[in-house]
Amino acid sequence: MSVGIKYSDVEVGFELPKVIHNYQRQDLVNYANASGDHNKIHLDEKFAKEVGLPDIIAHGMLTMGVASRVVTNWVKDISAIKSFSVRFSAPVVVPNDGRGTNVEFGGRIEEKMSDKLVKIAIEARCDGTKVLGRSLIIAQLA
């Protein structure tokens, strides 16, 4: 259960602090090695372009994991997340330019539920483009 954020202290519409993550090519290599997902669209620029992508793209599950930090950074307790559903609406393109790609993640309490649970709508944008569609985290507060 969450240690810091009390259910009684939040209301519907409350916005969680934003998280900005900079994706670098090395992040994709590290994630591929850790997860075993070596799909070429995440690692091979030539292949990604051959299949119609503008460049290599970040793994969806990596983006989902970073998105969950909106909640875990806020509540300071990873076990507070009880469920997470996500729809991807655009890829996170990671060019080989040394600057990487910034994605801004945010969250807003959409519903207060029973048992101190809250439904949090998660959003992610890259250069103004929404990269996550309807994404929800259910979290338990103190």
Side-chain angles (χ1 to χ4, degrees):
M1 183 181 298
S2 170
V3 277
I5 306 299
K6 292 184 180 173
Y7 180 83
S8 60
D9 291 341
V10 297
E11 297 300 329
V12 170
F14 176 84
E15 292 194 18
L16 283 65
K18 293 190 182 309
V19 170
I20 297 175
H21 182 77
N22 179 263
Y23 290 82
Q24 295 284 331
R25 288 277 178 105
Q26 188 60 47
D27 295 331
L28 307 186
V29 172
N30 294 345
Y31 186 82
N33 289 334
S35 69
D37 181 352
H38 295 279
N39 187 315
K40 289 181 176 183
I41 63 173
H42 306 302
L43 302 167
D44 183 333
E45 185 175 325
K46 183 176 181 279
F47 179 82
K49 289 179 177 179
E50 285 173 358
V51 298
L53 294 167
D55 210 324
I56 67 170
I57 62 172
H59 301 75
M61 294 300 103
L62 173 59
T63 298
M64 194 173 170
V66 174
S68 72
R69 289 182 26 215
V70 170
V71 175
T72 59
N73 286 358
W74 178 58
V75 299
K76 309 290 189 237
D77 181 2
I78 195 167
S79 70
I81 294 180
K82 301 305 175 189
S83 70
F84 190 176
S85 62
V86 66
R87 291 198 181 150
F88 300 100
S89 54
V92 174
V93 177
V94 184
N96 193 20
D97 62 5
R99 292 179 310 213
T101 298
N102 287 328
V103 177
E104 182 178 86
F105 297 88
R108 182 182 48 77
I109 295 181
E110 191 172 89
E111 180 183 343
K112 289 180 78 172
M113 304 160 68
S114 62
D115 298 322
K116 298 183 181 179
L117 295 171
V118 291
K119 183 184 291 184
I120 303 167
I122 301 295
E123 185 175 270
R125 291 190 177 271
C126 181
D127 293 326
T129 300
K130 198 172 180 182
V131 297
L132 294 181
R134 181 78 171 142
S135 300
L136 297 171
I137 290 179
I138 304 296
Q140 187 160 38
L141 304 182

